[in-house]
Amino acid sequence: MKLPGFVKRPTIGMDIDREAIKAVQLVRGEDGYTLQHVGYHRLPEGVIVDGEVADSELLSREIRKFWELHEFRGRSVVLGVAGNNVIVRFVDFPRLSPEDLESALGFQAEEHIPMPMEDVILDHVVLGPSTENPDDDHVILVAAHREMISSYTGAVREGGLKPVGIDVKALSLTRSALPEDLFDDEDTTLLLDVGTEFSNLVVVQGRTPTHSQFLNLGLRNFVASVTRSADLSQDEAERLALEPEANISPFTSESGLSEDPGDDEPGSTTYEITEPLYIPKFEEATEGGEATGGEQDDAEKEAGEPREGTAPEPEGGGSGGGLDPALVYDIRRGLEDAASRLAAEVQRSVEFHNSRPSAREVSRILVSGEGALVAGLGGYLEDYLGVPAGLAKPTGRLVANTSNVSDEQLAQMEPVLAVALGLAMEE
């Protein structure tokens, strides 16, 4: 949705959630998008709660601090929103002129939006002719609580930036996470971004989104489950939940990777994540305006010294020496408990979509977000739902990377940048 009084220039996408600010700047050329800058900044606890701004003053300070550490060009940003105070509905309306349709939606929105109309900001997008009635248009109707939008835009302005647009995080995935070579009217793809607090889900049939939902499950739920199952502190659980050894995919790779130490457990495989990815590394990788890595990192690794901002290796080993098999079993048990709850929610969305008239069954699932860093999550979802699943590749939409992060670092950060990339690609 556009913000009144601003020219829409979607070059910087800013994804703010409970854990961090993630921002990317793109420039669009004839061949496609070039990545110019990437920023990641951890937020203190209590700034964002349940998808809404809980401490506007603190968020503004954190935005200023974040911006001072980076070299973004300009200050115009497109924001993303998600949560219980954002409603997305897909409705069919008689074909009308843009002016008449806007007026009709204003009158009839209360039939579809379970919030007082005076408290919300409405927007809509016409997707094209309805598959059920060619004389109707299929329309996305979006409503967001006015106070929620004001809190975000106010904090961003106080932080020295100019909010020029707002989009629903789930819908932004249709621009970044949906591969161009899968654009086929027979394909139906479920995009799932497992964030730190919420998961954003959208079903796309061909090129057209048909269902969107916010799930109250995220990486924090995985960490909490590991904390209980393995009797760990939250910091330890957050780090170990991302260990490749705790892979929860039931599929064994052909390369014959190490077996799960648990009795009657399936083999363990690394599901596209080849090393532990501690979230603090992302902040370190983007600060300073120049790509990190290279000789200095190699020297530090040889010296055995951890880089600043990364978690220390666990006692008795780590990703290099191996974790205690009993600990791995407990971590995996916690991860599987959270994954099963997430998979059950996703299954309900799949069944809802598949039950609709003219719907084609979901044929693939693509996962992004912080939760995608849990090794084997895609394989777990594939086994649970019986639908092929894997990692989304939002950087596949880029033709070049001239940013402050190397290609290797970008590949590691890619899952958590899906929403920010989609916001920056807003058309």
Side-chain angles (χ1 to χ4, degrees):
M1 62 184 71
K2 295 180 183 178
L3 295 181
F6 289 114
V7 177
K8 191 177 179 183
R9 289 177 291 177
T11 56
I12 302 175
M14 178 174 281
D15 176 16
I16 304 174
D17 63 20
R18 185 164 185 152
E19 292 292 329
I21 301 171
K22 292 153 281 187
V24 298
Q25 182 159 35
L26 304 178
V27 60
R28 187 171 187 175
E30 293 182 1
D31 297 331
Y33 291 102
T34 294
L35 181 65
Q36 289 188 325
H37 199 84
V38 179
Y40 183 98
H41 178 70
R42 289 290 293 261
L43 288 175
E45 187 70 23
V47 178
I48 305 293
V49 178
D50 295 333
E52 301 195 39
V53 179
D55 191 328
S56 181
E57 183 177 344
L58 181 54
L59 177 57
S60 297
R61 291 203 302 269
E62 292 296 319
I63 289 173
R64 286 187 180 276
K65 182 190 305 182
F66 169 64
W67 215 253
E68 289 172 358
L69 291 171
H70 290 275
E71 297 179 357
F72 289 100
R73 299 177 184 176
R75 294 181 176 270
S76 298
V77 297
V78 177
L79 303 173
V81 291
N84 297 324
N85 279 327
V86 181
I87 307 295
V88 180
R89 295 288 184 265
F90 296 83
V91 297
D92 289 343
F93 269 85
R95 187 162 296 118
L96 301 170
S97 68
E99 296 77 12
D100 290 341
L101 177 59
E102 185 168 356
S103 178
L105 287 172
F107 282 114
Q108 300 185 36
E110 60 185 10
E111 298 178 14
H112 307 282
I113 305 300
M115 291 190 288
M117 289 299 98
E118 62 271 17
D119 294 339
V120 302
I121 296 175
L122 287 174
D123 200 4
H124 71 277
V125 176
V126 177
L127 298 174
S130 168
T131 56
E132 299 174 29
N133 185 352
D135 294 329
D136 290 349
D137 277 331
H138 199 50
V139 178
I140 300 180
L141 182 61
V142 179
H145 200 279
R146 191 177 302 276
E147 185 176 343
M148 173 190 187
I149 299 298
S150 296
S151 296
Y152 272 107
T153 56
V156 168
R157 289 191 188 101
E158 286 297 317
L161 307 182
K162 181 191 295 185
V164 295
I166 296 176
D167 196 9
V168 177
K169 291 186 181 184
L171 298 180
S172 75
L173 297 172
T174 64
R175 294 186 294 275
S176 61
L178 189 66
E180 289 182 297
D181 60 1
L182 294 182
F183 280 160
D184 186 324
D185 288 342
E186 299 303 316
D187 287 327
T188 300
T189 305
L190 187 148
L191 304 174
L192 178 67
D193 190 85
V194 184
T196 55
E197 187 174 26
F198 290 106
S199 292
N200 297 288
L201 179 154
V202 61
V203 178
V204 187
Q205 189 163 289
R207 296 172 180 264
T208 306
T210 60
H211 174 65
S212 180
Q213 187 174 356
F214 306 110
L215 308 179
N216 288 307
L217 288 164
L219 182 60
R220 291 174 67 91
N221 297 92
F222 284 82
V223 172
S225 188
V226 170
T227 299
R228 294 190 297 269
S229 66
D231 192 24
L232 298 170
S233 69
Q234 182 174 327
D235 288 344
E236 290 177 309
E238 182 177 351
R239 174 168 54 82
L240 296 176
L242 305 183
E243 280 284 351
E245 290 179 71
N247 192 295
I248 60 174
S249 173
F251 306 121
T252 304
S253 74
E254 295 180 359
S255 60
L257 295 175
S258 60
E259 293 292 318
D260 186 324
D263 295 334
D264 299 323
E265 290 287 318
S268 175
T269 181
T270 301
Y271 191 78
E272 296 194 46
I273 298 295
T274 58
E275 63 175 306
L277 299 176
Y278 306 121
I279 303 298
K281 287 175 67 175
F282 297 161
E283 186 165 19
E284 178 197 69
T286 63
E287 288 183 358
E290 297 181 357
T292 59
E295 297 179 358
Q296 181 178 359
D297 284 347
D298 292 340
E300 286 177 348
K301 288 178 181 178
E302 292 175 2
E305 294 295 330
R307 288 181 295 166
E308 182 180 355
T310 62
E313 296 293 343
E315 293 183 6
S319 58
L323 297 174
D324 178 73
L327 176 59
V328 171
Y329 177 81
D330 288 339
I331 294 169
R332 185 177 293 132
R333 187 160 51 90
L335 293 174
E336 289 176 343
D337 176 67
S340 68
R341 286 181 280 142
L342 176 64
E345 293 291 335
V346 174
Q347 184 175 48
R348 279 190 275 272
S349 287
V350 170
E351 291 172 350
F352 175 80
H353 166 81
N354 291 344
S355 68
R356 300 182 69 176
S358 304
R360 288 185 290 274
E361 291 191 359
V362 171
S363 56
R364 68 177 60 80
I365 298 171
L366 297 177
V367 186
S368 59
E370 284 81 355
L373 303 180
V374 173
L377 179 59
Y380 187 95
L381 293 172
E382 179 171 336
D383 182 65
Y384 190 104
L385 297 165
V387 178
L391 292 179
K393 295 293 182 181
T395 60
R397 293 294 188 90
L398 305 177
V399 296
N401 171 28
T402 61
S403 74
N404 54 312
V405 298
S406 67
D407 289 344
E408 180 182 5
Q409 290 167 327
L410 181 61
Q412 293 180 344
M413 297 180 69
E414 182 176 27
V416 306
L417 297 178
V419 168
L421 285 166
L423 295 172
M425 294 174 184
E426 187 181 37
E427 299 176 354

